[in-house]
């Protein structure tokens, strides 16, 4: 059923170079943020590569095909023998060990067009890599071409329109830092290393979404290179803009530019943290029910997380108001009354606070998946205890539930974006982290078994940006009724299916 362009090899030669402790896994999960990979800067522009002798069994281009694209200064092509290849190949998830035939490091939009034509000529499927944070490694492939966009990382703010233009290689940390100079903010995710491209094209939620909407709700224009290498602008193309808001991850083209509206930056950002120790599954469930109930009154300036490990629960509430409202104070007091430990509130200037959520720079071993959208605790009631008991058999496993709602749940936005699950008020994320390649199979099996429990209990809607390669009926789970409309975009912009990954839209 799944296309086999992905390697699931358990081999890893660099295993000993970047051990990650369990504690740092937990911190990573709570902080949900990691550093920015170093920027490589090769000096030499290479000519496109010809297929090697090992390709001779593959179908070669017929003699009447167009000539191979001539050399270009807009893109650098690396193959397996190049030293730089390894730097650009590895995604954030160390579990993914893919081996593309060619990595096209694009320096500008023309470079992207060149790379698409190059891939077409040599009949290579294309994966698109911006921030490289796809949970399942959908931005790399085996034996295909990867369009690598990390060098296209310019930002520019227009004070007149209060918009920011971002190239796809920009990371969230860059965007937050850049806009802070103008006292502006783009609502986005919490992890600094995530690419603004992949985040936006799949939706994008975080600390500020309940007040300012999803990242994709703030998208005004994009530019896209399609499956033939042609350029399209969304200014006069509302359908293409609609698809870019939650339905554009590697499906039918390369988004080469994003223009966002921005918001006034809150001056400060406050975190409230509570810990609950020595929990069994019954107690964890009772606290989950309690948390869901309290989140009903959470002000829209706030974000909340319920993060459950084997025996410890962490509850995080954040706020962008200068002082907690009486409603928030009452809610926080209820957590304080029950918690084993209450931390002092941490109020910091916005950028400093966000930087504290940028943890490790990876790559890390992990398997994270969407554990479903929920309207209320009732959606989890029946399955909660069995899920937690299964979690406790797997070291390093966490169930994190985050608040949505607020501005996301605005019915007027329903028609404007391919993102389909606005009415869902909570999003679950199942996470497992480990240290060694030898632990992959057990960890993956644990996730698969728990996901099956969720599916059997009727949890079938999932977040596209938290993909699970084993999810049945992922088309409906990620895109709901919008899948058919995305197929229309696929037919129009990529009828030959040159852009593909294991869960890409097909016509
Ligand atoms: C540590 C961590 C923290 C996270 N925190 C959050 C969070 O707070 N909020 C949230 O909403 N999500 C979060 N995510 C999920 C994140 O939104 C997705 O992983 C996102 O797709 C990553 O984008 P990227 O550009 O870094 O990834 P990539 O791996 O480069 O790409 C991800 C997907 O988008 C496609 N794609 C990338 N660039 C383009 C492009 N220019 N044109 C077309 N398709 C493209 C790729 O084909 C791939 O399918 C987090 C992920 C991680 C690993």
């Amino acid at each position: 059923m799944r296309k086999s362009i992905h390697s699931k090899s358990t081999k890893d030669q660099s295993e000993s170079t970047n051990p990650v402790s369990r504690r740092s896994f937990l911190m990573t999960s709570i902080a949900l943020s990691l550093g920015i990979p170093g920027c490589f800067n090769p000096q030499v522009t290479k000519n496109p590569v010809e297929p090697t002798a090992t390709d001779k069994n593959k179908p070669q281009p017929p003699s009447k095909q167009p000539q191979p694209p001539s050399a270009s200064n807009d893109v650098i092509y690396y193959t397996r023998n190049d030293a730089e290849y390894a730097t650009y190949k590895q995604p954030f998830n160390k579990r993914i060990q893919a081996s593309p035939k060619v990595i096209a490091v694009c320096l500008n939009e023309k470079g992207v067009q060149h790379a698409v034509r190059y891939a077409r000529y040599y009949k290579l499927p294309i994966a698109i890599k911006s921030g490289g944070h796809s949970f399942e490694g959908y931005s790399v492939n085996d034996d295909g071409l990867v369009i690598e966009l990390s060098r296209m990382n310019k930002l520019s703010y227009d004070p007149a329109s209060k918009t920011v233009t971002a190239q796809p290689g920009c990371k969230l940390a860059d965007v937050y830092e850049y806009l802070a100079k103008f006292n502006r903010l783009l609502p986005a995710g919490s992890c600094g290393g995530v690419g603004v491209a992949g985040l936006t094209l799949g939706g994008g939620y975080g600390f500020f979404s309940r007040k300012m909407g999803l990242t994709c709700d703030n998208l005004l224009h994009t530019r896209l290179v399609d499956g033939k290498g042609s350029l399209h602008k969304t200014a006069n193309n509302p359908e293409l803009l609609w698809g870019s808001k939650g339905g554009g991850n590697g499906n039918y083209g390369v988004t080469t530019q994003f223009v966002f509206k921005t918001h006034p930056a809150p001056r400060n950002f406050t975190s409230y943290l509570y810990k609950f120790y020595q929990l069994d599954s019954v107690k964890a469930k009772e606290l989950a029910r309690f948390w869901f109930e309290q989140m009903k009154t959470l002000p829209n300036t706030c974000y909340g997380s319920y993060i459950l490990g084997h025996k410890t629960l962490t509850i995080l509430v954040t706020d962008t108001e200068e002082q907690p409202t009486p409603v928030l104070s009452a809610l926080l007091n209820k957590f304080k009354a029950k918690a084993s430990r209450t931390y002092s509130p941490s109020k910091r200037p916005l950028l400093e606070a966000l930087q504290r959520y940028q943890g490790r720079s990876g790559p890390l071993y992990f398997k994270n998946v969407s554990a479903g959208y929920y309207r209320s605790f009732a959606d989890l009631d029946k399955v909660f205890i069995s899920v937690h008991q299964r979690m406790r058999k797997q070291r390093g496993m966490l169930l994190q539930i985050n608040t949505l709602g607020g501005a996301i749940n605005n019915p007027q936005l329903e028609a404007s974006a391919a993102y389909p699950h606005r009415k869902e008020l909570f999003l679950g994320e199942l996470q497992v982290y480990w240290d060694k390649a030898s632990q992959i199979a057990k960890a993956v099996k644990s996730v698969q078994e728990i996901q099956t429990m969720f599916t059997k209990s009727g949890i079938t809607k999932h977040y596209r940006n938290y993909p699970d390669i084993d999810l049945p009926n992922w088309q409906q789970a990620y895109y709901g009724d919008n899948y058919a409309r995305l197929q229309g975009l696929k037919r129009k912009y990529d009828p030959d299916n040159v852009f593909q990954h294991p869960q890409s839209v097909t016509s």
Side-chain angles (χ1 to χ4, degrees):
M1 272 203 329
R2 273 179 279 129
K3 292 166 232 154
S4 59
I5 58 169
H6 266 236
S7 162
K8 296 200 120 195
S9 162
T10 54
K11 277 195 179 164
D12 184 354
Q13 287 135 7
S14 60
E15 181 182 310
S16 59
T17 59
N18 193 11
V20 181
S21 71
R22 224 173 137 210
R23 180 178 153 74
S24 67
F25 293 148
L26 185 58
M27 291 313 291
T28 303
S29 145
I30 293 167
L32 271 182
S33 62
L34 305 130
I36 308 162
C39 194
F40 200 84
N41 186 20
Q43 299 300 312
V44 187
T45 300
K46 291 186 158 195
N47 288 334
V49 286
E50 296 292 331
T52 60
T54 54
D55 298 327
K56 63 185 174 212
N57 295 333
K58 291 198 109 190
Q60 295 299 306
S63 55
K64 287 194 177 162
Q65 286 265 329
Q67 289 300 299
S70 52
S72 164
N73 288 325
D74 302 309
V75 51
I76 308 166
Y77 294 93
Y78 292 120
T79 56
R80 290 170 184 144
N81 292 332
D82 293 314
E84 296 87 349
Y85 173 90
T87 308
Y88 286 109
K89 175 185 84 117
Q90 183 59 50
F92 180 73
N93 193 339
K94 204 171 169 185
R95 173 172 59 90
I96 309 297
Q97 295 295 316
S99 179
K101 183 165 280 180
V102 181
I103 302 179
V105 177
C106 300
L107 306 180
N108 54 42
E109 200 169 61
K110 283 204 175 87
V112 175
Q113 293 179 286
H114 194 278
V116 170
R117 289 175 188 138
Y118 176 86
R120 285 186 73 91
Y121 182 81
Y122 290 115
K123 301 194 184 317
L124 299 172
I126 300 176
I128 310 162
K129 181 162 175 269
S130 287
H133 272 57
S134 166
F135 283 177
E136 297 284 15
Y138 290 169
S139 42
V140 287
N141 58 21
D142 278 331
D143 296 321
L145 179 140
V146 170
I147 289 194
E148 217 284 349
L149 298 161
S150 62
R151 302 270 306 267
M152 289 174 63
N153 58 2
K154 289 194 187 65
L155 285 160
S156 116
Y157 177 68
D158 174 19
S161 60
K162 298 187 169 51
T163 59
V164 65
T165 301
Q167 288 190 319
C170 295
K171 310 281 166 55
L172 299 188
D174 307 338
V175 179
Y176 286 134
E177 195 175 335
Y178 175 77
L179 284 177
K181 292 181 206 155
F182 306 97
N183 290 321
R184 305 296 294 179
L185 177 72
L186 173 70
S190 47
C191 171
V194 166
V196 74
L199 180 97
T200 306
L201 295 170
Y205 80 99
F207 294 133
F208 315 102
S209 325
R210 287 165 51 81
K211 172 100 174 141
M212 303 171 190
L214 297 169
T215 313
C216 71
D217 294 332
N218 292 276
L219 186 62
L220 300 173
H221 306 291
T222 63
R223 291 161 72 101
L224 177 117
V225 172
D226 72 11
K228 291 191 172 145
S230 304
L231 181 64
H232 303 270
K233 300 172 190 172
T234 57
N236 299 313
N237 191 336
E239 188 67 2
L240 200 53
L241 184 62
W242 172 86
S244 308
K245 297 181 175 193
N249 288 105
N251 285 333
Y252 47 80
V254 185
T255 305
T256 50
Q257 189 187 78
F258 298 80
V259 181
F260 296 101
K261 73 175 177 198
T262 63
H263 298 254
R267 186 190 298 231
N268 289 302
F269 182 91
T270 308
S271 305
Y272 304 91
L273 200 62
Y274 305 89
K275 291 270 187 188
F276 302 75
Y277 299 125
Q278 298 301 325
L279 303 178
D280 59 17
S281 300
V282 172
K283 188 74 186 151
K285 179 177 174 181
E286 191 187 309
L287 286 166
R289 191 193 300 277
F290 181 75
W291 180 82
F292 272 86
E293 202 53 35
Q294 301 317 309
M295 290 301 106
K296 283 184 186 164
T297 59
L298 190 73
N300 283 351
T301 54
C302 298
Y303 159 92
S305 279
Y306 168 100
I307 306 154
L308 180 64
H310 285 190
K311 290 185 183 171
T312 300
L313 167 67
T314 304
I315 286 181
L316 171 71
V317 175
T318 68
D319 191 16
T320 50
E321 287 288 288
E322 283 302 302
Q323 296 299 331
T325 59
V327 171
L328 179 61
S329 295
L331 185 158
L332 296 173
N333 282 336
K334 289 187 194 168
F335 288 135
K336 191 175 173 184
K338 286 184 182 282
S340 315
R341 181 173 176 193
T342 298
Y343 289 75
S344 302
S346 165
K347 182 175 180 181
R348 293 170 191 276
L350 179 70
L351 191 58
E352 188 188 318
L354 291 177
Q355 282 165 346
R356 284 173 65 85
Y357 283 86
Q358 288 159 28
R360 299 179 62 93
S361 58
L364 304 178
Y365 282 118
F366 67 93
K367 169 98 176 162
N368 288 7
V369 295
S370 165
Y373 287 100
Y374 326 118
R375 294 261 169 111
S376 70
F377 183 71
D379 293 331
L380 280 169
D381 199 349
K382 283 195 195 118
V383 78
F384 192 95
I385 297 262
S386 40
V387 162
H388 189 241
Q389 284 172 352
R390 180 63 186 85
M391 277 172 62
R392 291 174 78 156
K393 294 184 187 152
Q394 173 61 53
R395 186 176 175 263
M397 194 160 229
L398 298 162
L399 175 66
Q400 177 162 345
I401 304 170
N402 302 311
T403 52
L404 300 172
I408 302 170
N409 185 13
N410 173 353
Q412 287 175 342
L413 295 175
E414 202 75 57
S416 69
Y419 180 86
H421 299 306
R422 290 186 184 278
K423 292 192 180 75
E424 309 306 322
L425 301 179
F426 301 93
L427 175 63
E429 183 186 357
L430 189 63
Q431 315 176 8
V432 55
Y433 302 87
W434 62 91
D435 299 304
K436 295 180 189 153
S438 58
Q439 297 164 316
I440 290 180
K442 183 171 183 285
V444 168
K445 187 163 177 273
S446 297
V447 171
Q448 287 168 337
E449 287 184 11
I450 294 175
Q451 189 67 285
T452 303
M453 291 177 187
F454 282 128
T455 305
K456 282 189 178 159
S457 78
I459 293 167
T460 54
K461 293 176 181 166
H462 291 277
Y463 181 32
R464 162 59 186 90
N465 269 351
Y466 292 171
D468 177 354
I469 199 165
D470 297 306
L471 202 63
N473 197 10
W474 57 265
Q475 297 87 339
Q476 190 71 21
Y478 297 152
Y479 301 114
D481 293 344
N482 290 336
Y483 187 74
R485 198 164 155 191
L486 290 170
Q487 288 181 297
L489 284 169
K490 181 74 174 178
R491 281 191 292 274
K492 184 161 182 193
Y493 294 105
D494 184 24
D496 302 324
N497 197 24
V498 299
F499 301 107
Q500 48 180 273
H501 57 70
Q503 293 180 330
S504 53
V505 171
T506 54
S507 53

